[in-house]
Amino acid sequence: MSRSLLVRWASNAVALFVASWALSGVDYGDQWWTLLIAAAVFTVVNWSVKPVVAVLSIPFIVVTLGLFYFLINVLMLYVTDWLVPDFEIETFWWGVLAAIIVSLVNSVLHRVLPDGDRRR
C-alpha cells in the first residue's frame, strides 16, 4: 500500500506542476517543497476524503450521469488549496481547468508508472 501511495504522490506532483505551468490561476509560489507538500496533501485527500464524499454523493452522481463526480475532483483540489497555504487556485473555473489537467496527466502517468497494487 505504501508503494501505491508513493506512486500516486509522484503522479500528483507531476500533475499539479503541469496544471500550474499551463494555468496562470493555479500557483504554488515557485517553491518545490510547496508543490511536493500540495501533492502529498492532495494524495491523502483523494485517498481518505474523496471516497466518503463520493459515497454520500451517489444520488447526485447518478442524476447527473457522473458529472457530479468531476465536481468532487474540483472540490478535492480546493481542499488542498485550503490546507496548503502557498498553493493557490484563484477561481472556480481555474479549479475546473486544473481538475481536467490533473485528471488527464494522472490518467497518462498511471498507465506508464508501475503501481504496487496491480499485479501484472
Side-chain angles (χ1 to χ4, degrees), residues 33-120:
W33 62 270
T34 302
L35 180 66
L36 297 177
I37 291 171
V41 168
F42 187 62
T43 301
V44 170
V45 165
N46 276 333
W47 177 73
S48 60
V49 177
K50 187 176 181 179
V52 174
V53 173
V55 167
L56 294 174
S57 303
I58 287 176
F60 299 109
I61 293 170
V62 171
V63 168
T64 62
L65 302 175
L67 190 59
F68 194 79
Y69 192 73
F70 177 73
L71 291 177
I72 293 173
N73 290 335
V74 176
L75 176 65
M76 297 304 110
L77 278 172
Y78 270 107
V79 169
T80 304
D81 175 19
W82 179 62
L83 292 173
V84 181
D86 291 333
F87 181 73
E88 297 293 328
I89 300 173
E90 289 183 12
T91 65
F92 173 77
W93 295 110
W94 285 122
V96 168
L97 291 173
I100 292 169
I101 290 173
V102 167
S103 297
L104 290 173
V105 170
N106 273 329
S107 176
V108 169
L109 290 177
H110 282 293
R111 293 180 190 272
V112 175
L113 293 175
D115 190 355
D117 288 345
R118 292 185 302 207
R119 306 250 190 253
R120 293 182 189 209

